[in-house]
């Protein structure tokens, strides 16, 4: 029998992360590159690894990630969301702590669109009295 792999999708802003989680040593690859090489900022790496740290599973799973769209910070949020979902598939007992830390909720905040007749989503053109 093949080893068990868990697949999950996470989203944040316009980024979409697809991950495959399998028992292993804790190696995380993002788009076929090591996570440390793909994400330069430590804050982004910590954000993506938050669910693993919360449930003490940092060195228990190997994770392969394919992420598209958005910027690096949005992608880190999408990876965090996907890892949380996959951990629940691997072990349903982890749902309460992850839910309490709100890692299962898709962050719905996205960039507001620019409206016609305005400079931006809410900013107006400067008013001229004369």
């Amino acid at each position: 029998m093949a080893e068990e792999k868990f697949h999950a999708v996470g989203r944040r802003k316009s980024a979409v992360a697809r991950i495959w989680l399998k028992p292993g040593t804790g190696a995380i690859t993002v788009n076929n590159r090591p996570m440390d090489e793909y994400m330069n900022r430590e804050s982004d790496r910590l954000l993506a690894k938050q669910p693993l740290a919360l449930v003490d599973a940092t060195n228990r799973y190997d994770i392969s990630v394919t992420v598209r769209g958005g910027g690096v910070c949005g992608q880190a949020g999408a990876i965090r969301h996907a890892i949380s979902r996959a951990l629940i598939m691997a072990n349903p007992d982890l749902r309460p702590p992850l839910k309490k830390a709100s890692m299962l909720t898709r962050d719905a905040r996205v960039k507001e669109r620019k409206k016609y007749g305005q400079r931006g989503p809410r900013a107006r053109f400067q008013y001229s009295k004369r």
Side-chain angles (χ1 to χ4, degrees), residues 41-80:
R41 279 198 306 257
E42 184 65 25
S43 60
D44 291 335
R45 289 194 293 265
L46 287 173
L47 180 72
K49 293 177 184 175
Q50 248 181 356
L52 295 168
L54 184 74
V55 296
D56 295 321
T58 313
N59 297 324
R60 278 194 280 175
Y61 296 103
D62 284 344
I63 301 172
S64 176
V65 183
T66 308
V67 67
R68 290 187 131 159
V72 181
C73 194
Q75 289 182 349
I79 293 169
R80 171 186 177 218

Side-chain angles (χ1 to χ4, degrees), residues 71-89:
V72 181
C73 194
Q75 289 182 349
I79 293 169
R80 171 186 177 218
H81 189 218
I83 290 174
S84 302
R85 286 177 157 187
L87 283 170
I88 289 173
M89 287 180 200

Side-chain angles (χ1 to χ4, degrees), residues 11 21 24 35 53 60 67-68 93 99 124 126:
R11 294 180 181 88
L21 184 105
M35 181 183 252
R60 278 194 280 175
V67 67
R68 290 187 131 159
D93 298 337
K99 189 159 175 68
R124 312 289 194 265
Q126 188 169 340

